[in-house]
Amino acid sequence: TLQVLIEALLMVEDEINQLSPWKTQDTRRELWRAQLNDVSKAWIDLCSMKLGPTSKDTEGDPCPKKEAAYDNEEISQTPKKQKLDQPLPSASEKACIVSIVSTVKQCLIDLELRMFELSGMKAATEAANAVDDSGSSDGEDDGSNKRVKCWKWKINALKQVPTPRYVLIRDIIVAAIIVARKSHHTQVAADLKQALQLHRPKSALDAKQAAIAVLEKYGGYDGVEDDDVIDFEELVQVDTGDKKLEDATVESMICDEVVMMTGSLGGEENADRTDWFDAVKGCKSISRLATLTQYFISNVNDLLVRIKGERDILDSVLGTKGKKSRTNKKKHDSSTPVWCNASVTNKIVKCKVKGYPWWPARVCKALDTKVEESLEEGGYTLISFVGEPNMYVVSDNEVKDFAEDIEEDYSQWDQSIMDNLHESTKMARKLWRTQNRGVASPWEKKSKQRFEEEKKTAR
């Protein structure tokens, strides 16, 4: 079984390499494949099987107890279990199994990291991590909304919650986990989950102390003036913009082995990449590793199908394969995701994608020379929404400078789109400040001007 899974991993890696080739001078691919091939050979040597009885079993009696089959008395008796002559693995064989498991685990993690980057999820996560724990620093949220979104504030408030209120303590930790996960603080969420696992019915002291220890581990919390007044209902609120996360239950926070398998490549609702890494690193048996590997391969294959389909769409738009149709530009729907081997640049813009308002985005540079030339010739720009992995192709005239003030009627968009736009704008502004340290941001200048105008009007 392990040999079949190793062959599947090698095939998946080959498909990934066709989409995004390793650099010519990079020897990691050769080493990575050589390690798996060596493991496969070692597994074959370790699991050599012999079919049929051994010569020792049939020595002096080629058909032992043949006549017993016709003995009615023997047939009526319940057959006794026979002990199989299978010696326990030797010390060297055990060491070999440990080495095999360790090598496959590392190769599996390496492949997941590469696919995570190829899909665009890595760049999206890095952008999301640029947002501070306390939310936006633009002054757009009031203090209450900032606190609802801050996991540190919730955990810090546990110090004032009586230990007998075990249900409230559990709900606060759950809310903090959801907020941390939404903010892409995966390690914080993982640590808080471990604290939550210490919670017992009618006993919350250990969980409370463990959660506060997590807070101290990440620098503690600097309270504001009104933090002495605690609203317990506010503590358990979660304003994430994601209805599924807000409705999460306690059970979804405690991942069992099956749920943890879904955490690779960005994870799902109930498990993230930290859960998946923990499951892989903690794996010690061939059977469990085989299950993790099989689930990962299935997940990757689904993602590869989507990526290849998006690449075909890009080729049809640019005409990079076959003859380009004159009507391609008219038929192109900018809201359709595309994919190519590209790097996300630091250039932040606003772009107009069909079905969305003007949205913060980062310009992407195609690593394929032919695709890059086709984009320039067609008057297209390859972009990716800030905080999201998908790429889109938009016309050059639908790309504006990020600092440009664009008037738009937002009343036509529903609340979910506006919430996502607000979140993406916060990320983009944080990235802009990182790239332009010491420079006053344009939107802050406009906010001051608006404040001065309102002040004069009030007089």
Side-chain angles (χ1 to χ4, degrees):
T1 302
L2 184 63
Q3 184 185 3
V4 174
L5 292 176
I6 288 176
E7 292 176 356
L9 285 176
L10 292 171
M11 290 177 62
V12 167
E13 192 279 332
D14 189 57
E15 289 191 58
I16 294 175
N17 189 65
Q18 291 178 13
L19 293 169
S20 177
W22 292 56
K23 297 178 180 179
T24 306
Q25 66 271 24
D26 198 336
T27 59
R28 287 180 297 170
R29 185 191 184 216
E30 182 179 350
L31 177 61
W32 187 88
R33 295 183 69 89
Q35 287 178 334
L36 282 182
N37 284 320
D38 291 343
V39 163
S40 180
K41 294 177 183 178
W43 180 251
I44 292 174
D45 294 339
L46 188 65
C47 298
S48 58
M49 299 178 64
K50 295 181 180 179
L51 300 179
T54 63
S55 57
K56 182 179 179 180
D57 295 332
T58 58
E59 184 177 356
D61 193 358
C63 298
K65 298 184 180 180
K66 183 176 180 180
E67 67 281 5
Y70 301 98
D71 191 337
N72 293 332
E73 184 178 353
E74 290 290 336
I75 293 176
S76 62
Q77 293 179 356
T78 303
K80 296 181 180 180
K81 294 183 179 179
Q82 297 180 355
K83 294 183 179 180
L84 300 178
D85 188 13
Q86 294 181 347
L88 296 175
S90 63
S92 60
E93 290 175 337
K94 290 181 179 179
C96 183
I97 293 174
V98 171
S99 177
I100 288 174
V101 171
S102 177
T103 301
V104 176
K105 281 170 23 177
Q106 187 57 53
C107 290
L108 186 61
I109 291 174
D110 292 342
L111 190 60
E112 195 273 349
L113 289 172
R114 191 161 177 224
M115 191 66 196
F116 187 66
E117 182 175 5
L118 179 73
S119 63
M121 297 179 189
K122 180 180 179 181
T125 302
E126 289 175 349
N129 286 336
V131 181
D132 291 333
D133 287 15
S134 57
S136 173
S137 59
D138 301 331
E140 298 177 1
D141 291 335
D142 59 21
S144 176
N145 195 31
K146 284 184 179 180
R147 295 189 308 175
V148 170
K149 294 181 178 179
C150 181
W151 71 268
K152 285 189 172 184
W153 172 75
K154 295 178 183 297
I155 298 301
N156 183 70
L158 283 177
K159 298 176 182 178
Q160 301 186 39
V161 178
T163 303
R165 300 197 63 174
Y166 50 87
V167 175
L168 177 61
I169 292 174
R170 179 201 63 188
D171 292 344
I172 292 174
I173 298 176
V174 169
I177 292 173
I178 298 173
V179 172
R181 177 179 292 172
K182 179 62 178 177
S183 302
H184 295 272
H185 297 292
T186 54
Q187 189 56 51
V188 172
D191 292 344
L192 289 176
K193 286 178 188 176
Q194 293 182 359
L196 183 61
Q197 290 175 358
L198 299 177
H199 188 280
R200 296 291 181 269
K202 299 184 179 181
S203 177
L205 178 61
D206 292 342
K208 175 181 175 180
Q209 293 177 343
I212 294 174
V214 173
L215 174 65
E216 298 302 324
K217 175 182 176 181
Y218 291 94
Y221 174 71
D222 296 329
V224 295
E225 293 181 358
D226 61 344
D227 272 356
D228 291 336
V229 181
I230 301 297
D231 182 351
F232 290 144
E233 291 186 2
E234 185 182 359
L235 279 173
V236 298
Q237 290 178 8
V238 180
D239 183 11
T240 66
D242 190 332
K243 184 64 177 176
K244 291 183 179 179
L245 285 177
E246 292 176 15
D247 293 340
T249 60
V250 175
E251 289 76 14
S252 66
M253 295 295 101
I254 306 177
C255 301
D256 55 22
E257 294 179 359
V258 176
V259 175
M260 292 172 75
M261 295 179 188
T262 67
S264 62
L265 301 176
E268 296 182 359
E269 180 181 349
N270 296 330
D272 53 29
R273 295 181 74 226
T274 302
D275 298 320
W276 186 80
F277 283 135
D278 290 343
V280 174
K281 292 177 181 178
C283 186
K284 297 181 180 179
S285 66
I286 294 290
S287 58
R288 185 170 299 179
L289 180 60
T291 304
L292 280 166
T293 303
Q294 182 59 55
Y295 198 99
F296 169 74
I297 291 173
S298 176
N299 198 2
V300 171
N301 285 335
D302 292 341
L303 187 55
L304 286 173
V305 170
R306 195 203 76 191
I307 287 176
K308 290 178 181 178
E310 293 176 354
R311 178 55 196 266
D312 290 340
I313 293 174
L314 179 64
D315 289 335
S316 67
V317 172
L318 302 179
T320 50
K321 288 186 178 180
K323 187 176 180 180
K324 184 177 179 179
S325 170
R326 295 180 180 178
T327 60
N328 268 355
K329 188 171 182 179
K330 294 181 180 179
K331 290 183 178 180
H332 172 54
D333 183 355
S334 60
S335 65
T336 303
V338 299
W339 183 92
C340 74
N341 187 23
S343 61
V344 180
T345 69
N346 290 326
K347 185 176 180 180
I348 304 175
V349 297
K350 288 181 181 177
C351 65
K352 190 68 174 72
V353 172
K354 183 180 178 181
Y356 295 89
W358 284 88
W359 206 280
R362 299 169 73 179
V363 175
C364 302
K365 180 177 176 58
L367 302 181
D368 188 326
T369 305
K370 188 176 181 180
V371 173
E372 183 68 17
E373 291 176 351
S374 298
L375 286 168
E376 293 179 2
E377 293 174 359
Y380 291 117
T381 300
L382 188 65
I383 60 93
S384 176
F385 287 167
V386 174
E388 296 185 17
N390 293 334
M391 288 186 284
Y392 302 91
V393 171
V394 297
S395 299
D396 291 342
N397 58 7
E398 294 178 329
V399 179
K400 306 292 183 182
D401 186 83
F402 177 65
E404 183 175 341
D405 191 9
I406 302 175
E407 294 185 4
E408 186 172 8
D409 180 16
Y410 293 108
S411 62
Q412 60 182 309
W413 309 108
D414 59 37
Q415 188 60 41
S416 62
I417 290 181
M418 294 306 301
D419 289 342
N420 291 333
L421 175 61
H422 180 69
E423 190 71 21
S424 184
T425 301
K426 286 196 299 182
M427 295 180 193
R429 289 181 175 181
K430 181 65 178 180
L431 291 172
W432 190 95
R433 292 191 189 94
T434 303
Q435 299 169 13
N436 299 273
R437 295 186 182 278
V439 180
S441 61
W443 49 88
E444 287 178 349
K445 293 179 180 178
K446 294 173 183 176
S447 297
K448 290 180 180 179
Q449 292 174 359
R450 191 179 299 111
F451 174 76
E452 292 296 334
E453 292 176 357
E454 292 176 354
K455 191 175 181 181
K456 292 179 180 179
T457 303
R459 290 177 181 175

